[in-house]
């Protein structure tokens, strides 16, 4: 069954041009991605066994995806034995209904949330808002974009497209609207102090807390949260009810598997040896315990994952959402996350979105948002074959007749010309004769047909007066 994802109403050219015309956004995205990619590289350089660690982690996750249904069953049985209610939901509507029923039974109105891409995928805040629940995001980046009315633009840094000055402005507006004192400057200290003070009120007033999960260990029924801010621990421990919403792909088999994986989100994502907080939750508060929720619910979400697991792209589900592929992708670095038009961006978003929601949902993602440079494969700790998947998805789209007649004709003609040495050489001779029409200042600056867009922001050297083939033929001539 296909998943249900939400999308930006704007078309790809509009989203692309909006991003390219925003130099502040592009500078912000470039700064964040360069910093994170550099930190990751330095952190790995400290480990002589970096490659072996990656392989062990990847194998643990592949095993889990391969045996997904069995592991989900085992997990649900363990959770039930631990006093946790566990359900498997097909998609967004079912998840929202389930949480609404819990909230109504408990008389809950105010919800606090920690960062969770699963709930973003389900558009959960809007769905819960529609039934009268007020939801407050408590991760700093998520809090910022919630105030701005935006979606996250990066897996680990939801507000990567915004800088401190912009955050200061939105906090000032928030403070004015609430009649309180805003942050005194755009320095990190005053900004975080303001957010902390505002969020503390929400934590203390919350009736229900929602988190995602980085991993769920089947053999003991344990929910694992890996965070850097500590807000997730407040969401888990302060409200009387805790709901975990996680994809079926988050289940791993054993504690040994968890041990192999636990470092990877922080190491590959932000270049830390381990995240600041690793929280293990195995049930609701027990008699005599001072902290923790009275009720713990786990909702495991399919939303298209079982269909992906059954097909040739199953390794996509091993993604641990570390964001490393975003940080090295030349496309993401240019346009940021919102240009992708849905929840997931970067190389993994451009592959997993059509797999979850269908090829016709944002068909431009595999077609236009990858240069096949392979940088993502080198960065991905799970060794997901992203460029191979891009090529396969393009082939599937072409076979399904989704490309325009102009695209089909152009590629057919190109393929024909370049698949024989003689035809290729004739093509080069012909192009050299025509190239003066396309040149300015000694460079090729425009092109007819489908290549026109490529030259919009680039130029290239002209075809040489004598190519290697011609030089070789001349040297060998008697
Ligand atoms: S595809 Fe790989 S690099 Fe990208 S977020 Fe997932 S695990 Fe990280």
């Amino acid at each position: 069954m296909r998943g249900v994802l939400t999308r930006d109403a704007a078309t790809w050219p509009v989203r692309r041009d909006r991003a390219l015309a925003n130099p502040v956004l592009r500078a912000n995205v470039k700064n964040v991605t360069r910093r994170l990619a550099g930190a990751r590289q330095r952190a790995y350089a400290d480990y002589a066994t970096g490659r072996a660690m990656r392989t062990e982690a990847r194998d643990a996750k592949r095993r889990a995806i391969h045996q997904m249904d069995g592991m989900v069953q085992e997990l649900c049985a363990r959770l039930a034995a631990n006093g946790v209610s566990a359900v498997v939901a097909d998609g967004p509507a079912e998840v929202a209904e389930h949480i609404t029923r819990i909230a109504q039974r408990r008389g809950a109105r105010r919800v606090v949330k920690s960062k969770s891409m699963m709930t973003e995928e389900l558009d959960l805040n809007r769905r819960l808002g529609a039934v009268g629940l007020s939801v407050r995001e408590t991760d700093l980046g998520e809090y910022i974009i919630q105030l701005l009315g935006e979606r996250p633009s990066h897996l680990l840094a939801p507000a990567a497209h915004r800088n401190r000055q912009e955050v200061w402005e939105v906090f000032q507006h928030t403070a004015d609207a609430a009649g309180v004192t805003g942050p005194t400057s755009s320095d990190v200290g005053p900004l975080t102090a303001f957010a902390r003070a505002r969020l503390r009120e929400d934590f203390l007033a919350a009736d229900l807390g929602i988190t995602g999960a980085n991993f769920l260990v089947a053999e003991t029924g344990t929910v694992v949260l890996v965070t850097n801010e500590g807000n997730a621990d407040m969401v888990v421990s302060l409200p009387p009810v805790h709901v975990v919403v996680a994809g079926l792909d988050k289940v791993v088999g054993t504690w040994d598997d968890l041990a192999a994986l636990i470092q990877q989100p922080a190491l590959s994502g932000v270049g830390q040896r381990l995240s600041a907080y690793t929280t293990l939750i195995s049930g609701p508060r027990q008699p005599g315990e001072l902290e923790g929720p009275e009720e713990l619910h786990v909702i495991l979400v399919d939303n298209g994952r079982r269909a992906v697991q059954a097909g040739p792209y199953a390794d996509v589900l091993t993604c641990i959402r570390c964001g490393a592929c975003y940080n090295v992708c030349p496309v993401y670095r240019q346009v940021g996350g919102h240009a992708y038009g849905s929840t997931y961006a970067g190389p993994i978003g451009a592959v997993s979105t059509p797999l979850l929601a269908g090829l016709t949902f944002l068909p431009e993602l595999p077609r236009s948002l990858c240069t096949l440079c392979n940088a993502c494969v080198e960065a991905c700790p799970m060794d997901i074959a992203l460029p191979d998947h891009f090529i396969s998805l393009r082939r599937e789209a072409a076979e399904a007749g989704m490309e325009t007649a102009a695209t089909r004709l152009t590629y057919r003609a190109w393929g024909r010309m370049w698949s024989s040495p003689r035809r290729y050489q004739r093509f080069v001779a012909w192009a050299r004769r025509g190239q003066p029409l396309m040149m300015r200042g000694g460079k090729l600056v425009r092109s007819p047909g489908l290549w026109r867009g490529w030259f919009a922001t680039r130029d290239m050297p002209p075809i040489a007066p004598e190519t290697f083939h011609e030089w070789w033929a001349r040297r060998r001539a008697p």
Side-chain angles (χ1 to χ4, degrees):
M1 202 179 73
R2 287 272 175 238
V4 178
L5 268 65
T6 48
R7 57 155 295 171
D8 192 325
T11 62
W12 158 237
V14 172
R15 301 195 311 269
R16 176 198 62 202
D17 294 346
R18 207 162 48 191
L20 291 175
N22 186 340
V24 177
L25 175 144
R26 294 176 68 192
N28 295 342
V29 171
K30 216 169 275 179
N31 285 343
V32 170
T33 50
R34 283 210 177 129
R35 185 162 46 78
L36 293 178
R40 171 190 158 275
Q41 225 164 9
R42 285 191 296 280
Y44 260 107
D46 284 350
Y47 283 101
T49 54
R51 177 34 77 182
M53 283 165 63
R54 268 174 68 158
T55 306
E56 209 186 324
R58 179 203 68 189
D59 290 349
K61 195 74 182 163
R62 283 190 183 173
R63 265 196 307 278
I65 295 301
H66 186 62
Q67 303 162 20
M68 194 163 81
D69 278 343
M71 288 205 183
V72 168
Q73 269 181 15
E74 186 185 353
L75 174 75
C76 289
R78 290 306 318 172
L79 286 169
N82 294 350
V84 181
S85 107
V87 294
V88 177
D90 282 340
E94 213 180 310
V95 174
E97 275 165 28
H98 195 71
I99 296 176
T100 306
R101 275 199 299 276
I102 296 170
Q104 282 169 348
R105 181 173 49 75
R106 295 286 308 205
R109 300 292 304 276
R110 282 159 298 195
V111 178
V112 280
K113 262 187 79 223
S114 69
K115 191 166 85 59
S116 146
M117 289 310 288
M118 185 72 243
T119 58
E120 294 289 343
E121 177 185 321
L122 303 172
D123 198 14
L124 191 63
N125 289 6
R126 185 188 60 75
R127 289 172 187 274
L128 296 184
V131 294
L133 293 172
S134 105
V135 183
R136 170 59 69 208
E137 292 289 349
T138 63
D139 169 271
L140 180 60
E142 290 278 351
Y143 176 58
I144 293 164
I145 58 166
Q146 188 180 32
L147 296 179
L148 287 162
E150 296 181 339
R151 285 185 294 108
S153 67
H154 189 286
L155 286 174
L156 292 190
H161 56 293
R162 296 288 183 174
N163 58 34
R164 277 192 284 127
Q165 183 63 31
E166 292 172 302
V167 174
W168 188 30
E169 283 162 22
V170 71
F171 280 5
Q172 286 291 358
H173 287 146
T174 308
D176 292 346
V180 298
T181 310
T184 49
S185 77
S186 62
D187 290 340
V188 173
L191 292 180
T192 49
F194 174 78
R196 192 179 299 124
R198 302 294 303 160
L199 290 173
R200 187 151 300 168
E201 293 168 18
D202 294 304
F203 282 127
L204 293 174
D207 309 305
L208 194 145
I210 298 177
T211 67
N214 293 87
F215 306 101
L216 295 122
V217 185
E219 71 175 350
T220 51
T222 306
V223 179
V224 183
L225 294 172
V226 173
T227 62
N228 263 341
E229 291 181 17
N231 64 306
D233 287 338
M234 307 277 263
V235 172
V236 167
S237 52
L238 287 176
V241 182
H242 175 202
V243 181
V244 179
V245 184
L248 294 174
D249 49 316
K250 296 291 176 175
V251 185
V252 297
T254 63
W255 280 77
D256 285 343
D257 292 338
L258 177 67
L261 281 157
I262 196 78
Q263 270 185 286
Q264 287 302 330
L267 197 57
S268 296
V270 292
Q272 282 173 222
R273 292 193 156 212
L274 199 58
S275 335
Y277 301 89
T278 301
T279 307
L280 310 170
I281 306 158
S282 291
R285 188 196 314 177
Q286 300 300 306
E289 289 181 350
L290 297 177
E291 291 177 342
E294 295 154 19
E295 289 181 24
L296 175 58
H297 302 264
V298 173
I299 307 177
L300 298 164
V301 189
D302 178 352
N303 210 30
R305 285 161 174 75
R306 280 187 169 129
V308 176
Q309 191 252 1
Y313 302 98
D315 68 340
V316 163
L317 296 176
T318 62
C319 174
I320 52 165
R321 309 264 187 265
C322 70
C325 58
Y326 283 44
N327 301 332
V328 297
C329 175
V331 177
Y332 179 86
R333 281 182 169 189
Q334 290 297 324
V335 294
H338 292 162
Y340 288 72
S342 191
T343 308
Y344 301 109
I348 185 64
V351 165
S352 63
T353 302
L355 291 177
L356 290 174
L359 261 186
T360 52
F361 182 83
L362 298 174
E364 65 273 15
L365 292 182
R367 183 204 297 143
S368 303
L369 284 101
C370 174
T371 62
L372 298 179
C373 70
N374 270 19
C376 51
V377 177
E378 195 277 320
C380 176
M382 297 294 114
D383 290 336
I384 299 174
L386 290 162
D388 292 352
H389 294 339
F390 275 110
I391 292 170
S392 300
L393 287 170
R394 288 174 186 179
R395 186 183 304 121
E396 280 187 30
E399 285 169 1
M402 286 169 57
E403 303 302 348
T404 62
T407 306
R408 275 203 306 274
L409 272 174
T410 306
Y411 279 99
R412 201 170 294 153
W414 188 11
R416 204 173 141 61
M417 269 186 285
W418 285 36
S419 58
S420 121
R422 185 177 290 275
R423 281 198 293 268
Y424 169 76
Q425 282 156 23
R426 257 195 246 133
F427 169 83
V428 170
W430 167 80
R432 188 166 43 209
R433 272 202 297 280
Q435 69 180 1
L437 295 171
M438 309 293 158
M439 285 174 63
R440 195 174 54 223
K443 296 268 171 82
L444 280 172
V445 293
R446 56 179 173 272
S447 159
L450 283 186
W451 291 284
R452 198 174 330 156
W454 195 89
F455 282 96
T457 52
R458 312 171 184 86
D459 53 30
M460 64 184 277
I463 299 169
E466 183 176 45
T467 63
F468 173 77
H469 284 135
E470 291 159 346
W471 173 83
W472 186 253
R474 181 165 58 79
R475 292 276 305 237
R476 288 172 56 116

